[in-house]
Amino acid sequence: MSDSSMSRGSPPTPSPATASAAPPRPTGRAAGPRGDGPRTGGAGQVAAAPAAGSGADDGLLASLAPLLTEWLPRQRWFAGKGRPISGFTLVSATELLPCTARDGAAGLLHLLVRAHQDPDEDTEGGAGDEADGDPGGGAGAGANADAGDGSVGRAGQAMAGAERAERGALAKPSSASRARRRGAPEPADCYQLLLGVLPPNPHGAGPPPANRAARAEPGPTAANADANAAANGAGEPVVAREAAAPPRLAHALIGRPATGPLAGALLYEALADPRQAALLLERLRLPGTLGPLRFRRAPGATIEAGLTPRPLAAEQSNSSVVYGDAYILKVFRRIAPGINPDLEVALALTRTGCRRVPPPTAWFEAAGAGAPATLGLLQPYLADCADGWQYALDQLARGADFTAAAHALGQATAEVHLALARSLPTAEIGPPQVEHLTAAMSRRLDAAAGAVPALRPFRRALRGAYADLAALGDSGRAWPAQRIHGDLHLGQALRSTRDGRWSLIDFEGEPASPLAERRRPQPVVRDIAGMLRSFDYAAAVGGGGAHGGPESAAGPREPREWARRSRAAYCAGYAAACGHDPRAEPELLRAYETDKAVYEVLYEARHRPDWLPVPLSAIRRLAGPAARDTA
């Protein structure tokens, strides 16, 4: 699921090529995978990494594998929790700053790496496989993992073959990795890594590593000095004067490779280093091409230089850096070929003049055998905004009414949906699609009930919600489908503290789902159901019902009434903006909200058992007063 990285609270085999990098941009070069050090072309040129799997990547990748095997699973954005890593494939390696400078200056290495893992037979449509965020969009999560597929059933099922083929065009496993597979397909999510590299101090005690002692390395060039100046702000290189890492980077350490071209160097998460984060903004400010990487800026956009970067601490499925109070850069971690919906939707809405979504300022991508893969997106930072989740909790704590804000949020949602319908392809959900959709919802219900006994008494009544929708489909009923947010909840909405205006963010959708699925047209009611469930979560948390104990004297006396009124106001605001009240089609809304609540039950049972009463309360409401059975 996507993170609400804009909010303030809350998974190619490149051919040899050269590309220009004209001054005054920071120069860089593709990292040479062998132990003979990075390779450079002529002035201003870079050489791409050799084909993965050719054996040429053994020096770099083999030396990094032990460190990555330990470090990757600890990252919040790593999707393969609970499954051992069996190997890696190097997709590309590019030096944004030289990583073996003789003066000890810190380097910056950009990697795209595939992590091969054994399949997880117990995963049901991806639901709950990654703890990318809580279903309500709550604090510390900022995202709402969704089990639903919207229009075609189980997550990933319909497009799995096409998506695997598309991913296969981006990289091929090495021969060693293929041997590990033993004839069985093995998931291999591609991750974007930005590694800071502090070389061993050439002036310190002891000789340099043996594989570096006889290497003839180019000295610093004027262009590289400019690159260091841009990255460091003060114009001075970062120097590793001691064997230990600087205290400011202690929390970001990855380790020291024992062999390979970076032997003895200290590796760390580069986004934690303001000097390295500053280089990314400079790349976007003065766009161009560097090996497989392309840095682009929106037409007419200008980016101020010298802004101070501030990494956001609350990482989810991506990582974000705020520059001054002007921009926010979202760095996507799990990479797939093709344009990321977060960029695609923002560009489309900008073309329509919709002001509810911050327009893209710049972005960067990786070229491969297929469509370029979006790697990062720079947008204006809405510094005067609070995210909707925190604002709702604040209102609950004060015992204040939320209906006016919910009404305005409904209007904002409808405006975005209308703009998306004008700017991107639309479709229709007819009888065959409705049959497929409701069958998939039923399968998810059965799987969740099999894992969570507390859900079993409600299965028959909940199946009734899907049957009612299926009956409408059998009668020939159809519904429009279009591009939607795909992961909408209070944490994905920002409210201006100045005028109360709402903006929507994070259109990436559910990162655990294939990219093609996230870009598929779906009924707008899926977004609406997500937001309605978020109101219930806010009421439970703000009223003390989830994990905070009994309601406080200062809190709302009737959190369920607060949620009911907020839900009604949101739907009314939606209708006021587009002329269609989602409550006018109760079968459709109930089916989608039920599917969402079923997912929430499974999520909470797996990750936060103390929160399980929150979705179970919705299950009881959606099932009806006489719903309990033993089916």
Side-chain angles (χ1 to χ4, degrees):
M1 74 202 59
S2 64
D3 59 316
S4 56
S5 57
M6 277 184 138
S7 68
R8 303 184 62 195
S10 308
T13 303
S15 57
T18 61
S20 63
R25 287 196 309 275
T27 62
R29 49 192 175 178
R34 294 184 184 274
D36 56 358
R39 299 173 296 113
T40 60
Q45 290 185 323
V46 297
S54 66
D57 63 345
D58 289 347
L60 178 63
L61 193 58
S63 66
L64 297 182
L67 300 177
L68 296 181
T69 299
E70 180 180 354
W71 179 76
L72 268 178
R74 299 201 305 264
Q75 306 314 299
R76 185 68 174 82
W77 38 263
F78 182 69
K81 298 285 195 302
R83 288 180 287 146
I85 296 175
S86 57
F88 293 95
T89 295
L90 180 64
V91 178
S92 68
T94 308
E95 282 184 307
L96 297 177
L97 284 176
C99 296
T100 55
R102 283 189 169 185
D103 60 3
L108 177 56
L109 179 62
H110 181 281
L111 295 178
L112 290 177
V113 175
R114 287 195 172 277
H116 298 274
Q117 297 180 271
D118 294 330
D120 182 358
E121 300 296 337
D122 295 329
T123 299
E124 169 61 23
D129 189 32
E130 298 88 14
D132 287 320
D134 70 87
N144 182 357
D146 195 359
D149 65 324
S151 61
V152 294
R154 178 179 306 193
Q157 187 177 43
M159 296 301 298
E163 187 70 11
R164 280 195 296 270
E166 189 176 18
R167 289 177 178 178
L170 190 66
K172 297 179 180 179
S174 65
S175 56
S177 178
R178 288 195 298 269
R180 293 188 194 97
R181 295 168 72 169
R182 298 175 182 175
E186 179 181 295
D189 288 321
C190 182
Y191 292 97
Q192 176 178 197
L193 309 180
L194 285 153
L195 306 185
V197 181
L198 282 170
N201 182 6
H203 307 298
N211 70 327
R212 291 169 49 90
R215 187 160 57 220
E217 298 178 303
T221 64
N224 286 340
D226 288 343
N228 272 306
N232 300 336
E236 297 180 359
V238 183
V239 177
R241 300 190 182 278
E242 305 293 340
R248 61 185 172 82
L249 298 177
H251 68 288
L253 295 185
I254 298 174
R256 294 183 187 272
T259 60
L262 301 178
L266 185 65
L267 306 186
Y268 61 92
E269 167 54 65
L271 292 182
D273 186 350
R275 295 176 174 87
Q276 305 285 31
L279 178 69
L280 285 180
L281 185 66
E282 187 68 9
R283 282 283 180 194
L284 294 167
R285 193 177 74 86
L286 300 168
T289 300
L290 180 62
L293 306 183
R294 301 173 183 172
F295 297 85
R296 302 182 180 275
R297 194 177 64 219
T302 58
I303 301 173
E304 182 182 349
L307 296 173
T308 301
R310 183 178 78 254
L312 294 185
E315 288 201 358
Q316 300 303 319
S317 54
N318 302 301
S319 302
S320 296
V321 180
V322 173
Y323 294 92
D325 274 337
Y327 305 104
I328 182 167
L329 173 65
K330 180 192 288 186
V331 176
F332 301 112
R333 291 299 193 166
R334 196 176 182 186
I335 304 301
I339 186 170
N340 190 288
D342 212 4
L343 173 59
E344 181 186 22
V345 168
L347 287 171
L349 292 175
T350 299
R351 290 193 297 268
T352 69
C354 179
R355 296 174 52 246
R356 295 289 188 177
V357 176
T361 302
W363 58 94
F364 65 108
E365 60 193 20
T374 309
L375 301 178
L377 172 62
L378 186 76
Q379 292 173 283
Y381 181 60
L382 305 182
D384 70 330
C385 291
D387 76 72
W389 173 260
Q390 190 58 54
Y391 179 72
L393 295 187
D394 291 345
Q395 295 299 97
L396 278 157
R398 294 169 48 216
D401 185 69
F402 192 72
T403 54
H407 189 278
L409 180 55
Q411 290 179 306
T413 305
E415 289 178 22
V416 169
H417 282 165
L418 290 171
L420 286 173
R422 294 194 302 268
S423 59
L424 291 172
T426 60
E428 185 178 78
I429 303 299
Q433 292 80 19
V434 173
E435 180 182 3
H436 194 113
L437 168 66
T438 54
M441 289 177 169
S442 294
R443 287 196 300 271
R444 285 192 289 273
L445 171 61
D446 290 341
V452 186
L455 187 60
R456 295 171 190 169
F458 305 99
R459 276 189 296 183
R460 181 177 299 165
L462 298 178
R463 284 197 197 103
Y466 306 147
D468 290 344
L469 180 59
L472 289 179
D474 290 342
S475 70
R477 184 73 178 273
W479 290 269
Q482 62 167 77
R483 291 297 293 274
I484 62 172
H485 184 285
D487 187 25
L488 191 61
H489 53 82
L490 283 166
Q492 309 284 43
L494 302 181
R495 183 180 183 274
S496 171
T497 57
R498 185 181 65 257
D499 57 12
R501 179 178 176 81
W502 288 99
S503 299
L504 302 186
I505 59 170
D506 291 338
F507 284 78
E508 185 182 359
E510 169 50 63
S513 298
L515 190 63
E517 181 180 316
R518 289 183 268 152
R519 299 177 64 198
R520 184 180 300 121
Q522 302 179 58
V524 297
V525 71
R526 182 181 176 189
D527 277 352
I528 295 166
M531 186 61 75
L532 297 184
R533 294 296 311 123
S534 194
F535 288 134
D536 277 358
Y537 263 82
V541 174
H547 60 85
E551 298 170 22
S552 65
R557 296 183 180 277
E558 296 292 341
R560 290 184 183 179
E561 178 62 16
W562 180 95
R564 188 195 66 79
R565 287 166 54 85
S566 297
R567 290 160 56 91
Y570 177 80
C571 290
Y574 192 95
C578 71
H580 174 71
D581 191 326
R583 296 169 294 184
E585 296 182 304
E587 295 87 0
L588 186 65
L589 181 59
R590 183 187 174 209
Y592 269 94
E593 194 176 352
T594 298
D595 191 46
K596 188 73 168 178
V598 166
Y599 164 72
E600 292 165 357
V601 167
L602 183 60
Y603 181 96
E604 303 300 1
R606 286 178 171 178
H607 301 292
R608 299 181 304 197
D610 290 347
W611 288 54
L612 187 55
V614 179
L616 283 178
S617 176
I619 290 293
R620 285 189 288 271
R621 172 176 58 81
L622 291 163
R628 293 185 65 88
D629 60 59
T630 57

